[in-house]
Amino acid sequence: MQPKPNIVHLPVYQPGKPIEEVKRELGLTEVTKLASNENPFGSSTAVKDALIREMEHMSLYPDGGAVDLTEAVAAFWGVGTDQIIFGAGSDEVILMIARAYLVPGDETVMSTHTFGQYKHNAEIENAVIYEVPLKNYTYDLEGMLAKVTPKTKLIWICNPNNPTGTMVTHRELKAFLEAVPATALVVLDEAYAEYVTSPDYHDGLKLLEEHPNVVLLRTFSKIYGLASMRIGYGIGHPDVIRTINLVREPFNTTRFAQVAAQAALADQAFVKECKERNSAGLEYLTGEFARLGLTWLPAYGNFIMVELNRPAGQIFEALLKQGYIIRGGHKLDFPTMIRVTVGSREQNEGFIAALERTLAEIPEMRQTT
């Protein structure tokens, strides 16, 4: 049987190396994973309590409409329940948006060096893809706007951007949206928004109020610490959410994910603590990078990209042998950089010690003219 011809070239997503696999391969007893931007502080204790109670209902199907969670999220944001849609991670919401709006020949605009699922799902729908290079490691909104035509159906913006960690401001996004035609849906992926401390960060709900062609994406995988639960959501105009819902699979989120997300949302004290500890971790890491004579990209999420001027693949392997899993830039088209998740204080200190040993062993690349 022949597959769809437009998907045969697609790469299979390669996640960061699992901890247990690294332990087996290298004979290590302790491994620290700082590759997938997970929350090193876990999740709220309220989540664990909710999951224990939910064990009594394991044999029952989940609520297909996630009614209780929808009401909780809508109340939290001050929007209508008809403005929320849930998915198995925000990844599935991205898939549903692409499936709902793109047909072969439609155009979609995105950046290079951003979250790969935008392009992946557009390719599956056989859309025409326009990628605009980053400018100073962040989104070139003017360049993206120049690619928008009457055929443009979807525009994707990840803010803060993964993998670079950079951001565009509210003012920049507002000006961009005012120039985008109402016929194009703009998807603002805010997976790392809870970590941002900059006063210039965009107010997604305000932008949505002013522009009904905007959809906001949020996730419980990052600061809420529910990556294994796979649950995220979109917020949009009721008409847009209704359209996306037409392609949503029944029971696409589990009972456990729904109750975990509701418990996590209710514990904002935990979220605040994680945000503060993340900011302290970023301050520590950048201070150590400065001490080591390194440069790094501005970081607004819970990860940071650092320039090492050394082959990223070699750095990755050297750190792996010391029990630290990071994301090598050689896999992200940044051949001399690495992306590292902000960990706990102990994890950050251990990573810096391992990195310092590695830098001493691997010489800098010579500059050529």
Side-chain angles (χ1 to χ4, degrees):
M1 297 177 64
Q2 293 297 316
K4 293 167 64 174
N6 60 298
I7 70 167
V8 294
H9 70 288
L10 297 181
V12 176
Y13 178 74
Q14 298 294 326
K17 272 183 169 289
I19 291 175
E20 294 306 319
E21 180 182 330
V22 173
K23 286 182 177 179
R24 287 193 302 268
E25 286 182 356
L26 300 178
L28 299 172
T29 56
E30 294 294 329
V31 172
T32 299
K33 185 181 179 186
L34 300 173
S36 300
N37 305 336
E38 296 149 327
N39 188 341
F41 309 113
S43 58
S44 165
T45 55
V47 169
K48 301 177 181 66
D49 295 338
L51 290 174
I52 290 171
R53 291 192 297 271
E54 191 59 29
M55 293 284 286
E56 298 297 323
H57 308 296
M58 192 179 297
S59 63
L60 303 179
Y61 280 108
D63 174 3
V67 172
D68 289 345
L69 179 58
T70 298
E71 290 179 351
V73 170
F76 181 80
W77 290 113
V79 299
T81 56
D82 58 354
Q83 291 185 259
I84 307 288
I85 187 168
F86 287 94
S90 54
D91 307 58
E92 190 192 19
V93 184
I94 292 167
L95 180 153
M96 290 189 287
I97 291 171
R99 176 179 281 187
Y101 283 98
L102 294 176
V103 298
D106 280 345
E107 296 178 359
T108 181
V109 178
M110 62 194 69
S111 181
T112 60
H113 304 95
T114 192
F115 188 46
Q117 291 305 298
Y118 313 144
K119 183 176 181 179
H120 181 81
N121 283 288
E123 287 184 305
I124 290 173
E125 303 303 330
N126 212 9
V128 178
I129 300 168
Y130 290 105
E131 293 181 276
V132 177
L134 295 176
K135 191 174 184 179
N136 297 323
Y137 296 101
T138 194
Y139 272 72
D140 178 5
L141 294 182
E142 290 185 5
M144 292 177 69
L145 190 61
K147 294 294 184 181
V148 175
T149 77
K151 293 183 179 180
T152 303
K153 282 284 192 70
L154 294 175
I155 301 169
W156 306 88
I157 298 175
C158 185
N159 198 35
N161 184 42
N162 179 17
T164 59
T166 54
M167 76 167 202
V168 292
T169 66
H170 180 85
R171 179 182 57 82
E172 292 167 334
L173 268 177
K174 182 176 173 63
F176 176 79
L177 290 171
E178 288 172 351
V180 169
T183 52
L185 186 65
V186 180
V187 183
L188 299 182
D189 188 343
E190 304 175 330
Y192 300 95
E194 288 89 354
Y195 287 108
V196 181
T197 59
S198 170
D200 296 325
Y201 188 62
H202 70 263
D203 181 346
L205 284 179
K206 181 66 174 176
L207 294 174
L208 174 59
E209 290 173 6
E210 298 171 352
H211 302 279
N213 61 326
V214 166
V215 174
L216 311 177
L217 300 185
R218 290 280 179 141
T219 183
F220 285 97
S221 294
K222 302 306 178 183
I223 204 166
Y224 288 100
L226 302 184
S228 67
M229 292 281 120
R230 307 308 304 127
I231 188 159
Y233 60 99
I235 309 175
H237 187 276
D239 292 343
V240 172
I241 297 302
R242 188 178 305 113
T243 298
I244 301 170
N245 244 321
L246 294 174
V247 301
R248 182 179 61 82
E249 297 293 335
F251 311 123
N252 65 320
T253 60
T254 70
R255 295 185 68 97
F256 289 101
Q258 290 176 26
V259 301
Q262 193 168 345
L265 185 69
D267 190 354
Q268 288 299 308
F270 175 79
V271 174
K272 181 175 183 291
E273 178 187 353
C274 290
K275 181 175 183 175
E276 291 172 349
R277 295 174 77 175
N278 182 75
S279 295
L282 278 173
E283 184 177 357
Y284 168 78
L285 288 174
T286 53
E288 290 299 293
F289 292 157
R291 178 180 65 82
L292 295 172
L294 304 173
T295 58
W296 58 93
L297 301 187
Y300 295 94
N302 69 330
F303 59 92
I304 187 168
M305 287 200 74
V306 55
E307 173 64 67
L308 304 177
N309 197 32
R310 294 162 172 84
Q314 291 184 34
I315 297 291
F316 172 83
E317 293 296 337
L319 288 172
L320 195 65
K321 291 175 182 176
Q322 298 175 73
Y324 287 88
I325 310 172
I326 52 88
R327 197 72 162 170
H330 60 301
K331 299 288 188 179
L332 305 169
D333 202 25
F334 295 101
T336 59
M337 304 178 80
I338 61 171
R339 190 194 71 186
V340 58
T341 303
V342 180
S344 65
R345 179 74 184 196
E346 180 183 11
Q347 290 172 334
N348 292 336
E349 290 176 350
F351 160 71
I352 288 296
L355 178 63
E356 189 165 9
R357 289 190 294 268
T358 299
L359 297 179
E361 295 170 358
I362 301 176
E364 289 191 72
M365 298 170 65
R366 292 182 178 180
Q367 300 291 329
T368 57
T369 57

